[in-house]
Amino acid sequence: MLLVTDLDGTLLTSQKTISPPTRQALIAFRQRGGLLAACSARPVSSMTRLLQQQQVATLFGWCAGFNGGQIIAMSPQQVIHTAALSGMDLRDIDRHISLACYDHHFFSADAIYHRYDRPVAPWTRYEAQLFAVPLIAATPVEIVNRRDIYKITLVGAQENIDALCAEVTCKLPYGYTATITGGNYIDIQRSEINKGYAVTKLSQQLNIPCSQVVAIGDRQNDISMFAAAGTGIAMGNAPEVVKQQARFITTANDDEGIVHALEWLRCSAHPVTIRQSSTLAENNEPD
């Protein structure tokens, strides 16, 4: 079995740590022969650093960052897939939605870029600090001419983020998607690049049928993982729109949701800490 887990809001507590019970549950899962992969909107460099700091890096075989835009094997660290935005992609997106109208930044593999002629939003500074990557000012031409931009991130107040995503989605040209990845963040990438894409790539590479893949997450960008995996599990802290797309719902990230999910998988039973998504159960929809 392959377990693909999101990081923020899922594997991590609200304090951005992995709890001791969760760490022990991951160790036990690996000892039983399970395989682990992490899939996040974060840069891969931030993911690997975090897993090392939390003393679980050796348990994970793969990391998929930028919502599947870059995938690496952990031991030895080797890039096995990459899908950066081209200069044409960046120009096409800007031409349709006028990026200058929004607070935004650009992710390369190792840095966050922002336009030198615009103020830097606090949410941009927070991501640079959280991911421990440089925050670099550049001209629009310099950014467009780069060949290692994996995503554009729009930022805004949490109470406005749903409306902002809807507004941008209406303007985006065919072939690109805007997805909410956090309370203040919307990622823009090519439509085919998402976490479900990463799950499919890993499943093919490892020759594991999707029926043997479990995906667990808490945000809108995790919904594509649920669709690609045989079993999708939403965290108890996930928005209702995310829970409705998962087959099962575990407890919150601050209430050992991963531990309960892994125990349910081990027992092949339905303990009270895992409940079936009522929407999918009623509609009899596939995972």
Side-chain angles (χ1 to χ4, degrees):
M1 178 183 293
L2 171 65
L3 175 66
V4 185
T5 176
D6 172 51
L7 293 183
D8 297 278
T10 301
L11 187 64
L12 303 180
T13 68
S14 298
Q15 302 304 311
K16 304 299 182 184
T17 63
I18 295 176
S19 71
T22 294
R23 187 179 297 108
Q24 289 303 313
L26 295 176
I27 292 171
F29 178 76
R30 289 287 289 117
Q31 289 174 339
R32 295 194 300 270
L35 301 175
L36 285 170
C39 190
S40 173
R42 288 180 178 235
V44 167
S45 60
S46 171
M47 296 174 68
T48 57
R49 188 182 306 113
L50 173 68
L51 295 176
Q52 289 165 357
Q53 291 170 346
Q54 296 298 312
Q55 301 177 338
V56 295
T58 57
L59 302 176
F60 282 80
W62 303 268
C63 278
F66 302 119
N67 302 302
Q70 187 180 47
I71 306 173
I72 70 163
M74 290 287 282
S75 182
Q77 285 200 11
Q78 179 182 3
V79 176
I80 59 177
H81 175 74
T82 185
L85 290 165
S86 68
M88 184 177 297
D89 289 327
L90 297 173
R91 284 189 293 269
D92 198 17
I93 292 167
D94 189 29
R95 186 166 57 251
H96 281 79
I97 72 172
S98 300
L99 284 169
C101 296
Y102 306 97
D103 289 326
H104 67 284
H105 52 268
F106 304 82
F107 275 93
S108 74
D110 302 305
I112 290 177
Y113 288 84
H114 68 92
R115 286 180 49 151
Y116 79 103
D117 57 348
R118 287 184 53 82
V120 182
W123 303 289
T124 293
R125 294 192 185 278
Y126 174 77
E127 283 212 312
Q129 180 181 18
L130 178 65
F131 301 154
V133 295
L135 183 57
I136 301 173
T139 68
V141 172
E142 289 171 336
I143 294 170
V144 166
N145 286 338
R146 297 195 65 85
R147 295 295 179 265
D148 61 347
I149 299 297
Y150 284 91
K151 65 175 183 175
I152 304 168
T153 298
L154 305 187
V155 300
Q158 186 165 352
E159 60 269 23
N160 300 328
I161 210 71
D162 289 333
L164 177 58
C165 189
E167 175 185 329
V168 170
T169 295
C170 290
K171 296 179 180 180
L172 276 174
Y174 176 79
Y176 304 96
T177 302
T179 306
I180 295 172
T181 59
N184 305 101
Y185 302 96
I186 299 168
D187 286 347
I188 299 176
Q189 294 175 276
R190 292 201 303 272
S191 297
E192 73 271 17
I193 305 301
N194 54 48
K195 289 190 175 186
Y197 174 85
V199 168
T200 299
K201 284 288 183 182
L202 287 172
S203 177
Q204 293 172 345
Q205 170 126 357
L206 301 173
N207 197 27
I208 295 176
C210 67
S211 61
Q212 293 299 308
V213 180
V214 177
I216 184 165
D218 75 306
R219 283 289 175 181
Q220 283 89 331
N221 59 331
D222 295 313
I223 291 173
S224 62
M225 281 207 304
F226 301 159
T231 301
I233 302 175
M235 300 297 292
N237 51 289
E240 192 60 33
V241 67
V242 176
K243 291 178 180 178
Q244 289 174 357
Q245 297 303 315
R247 176 65 73 184
F248 299 103
I249 302 166
T250 186
T251 53
N253 61 324
D254 288 333
D255 192 24
E256 308 298 353
I258 290 281
V259 176
H260 295 308
L262 288 174
E263 180 63 13
W264 171 74
L265 291 169
R266 184 183 70 84
C267 295
S268 297
H270 293 192
V272 294
T273 49
I274 292 280
R275 69 180 176 88
Q276 193 165 14
S277 170
S278 58
T279 301
L280 290 183
E282 292 168 3
N283 296 339
N284 195 29
E285 296 179 3
D287 290 327

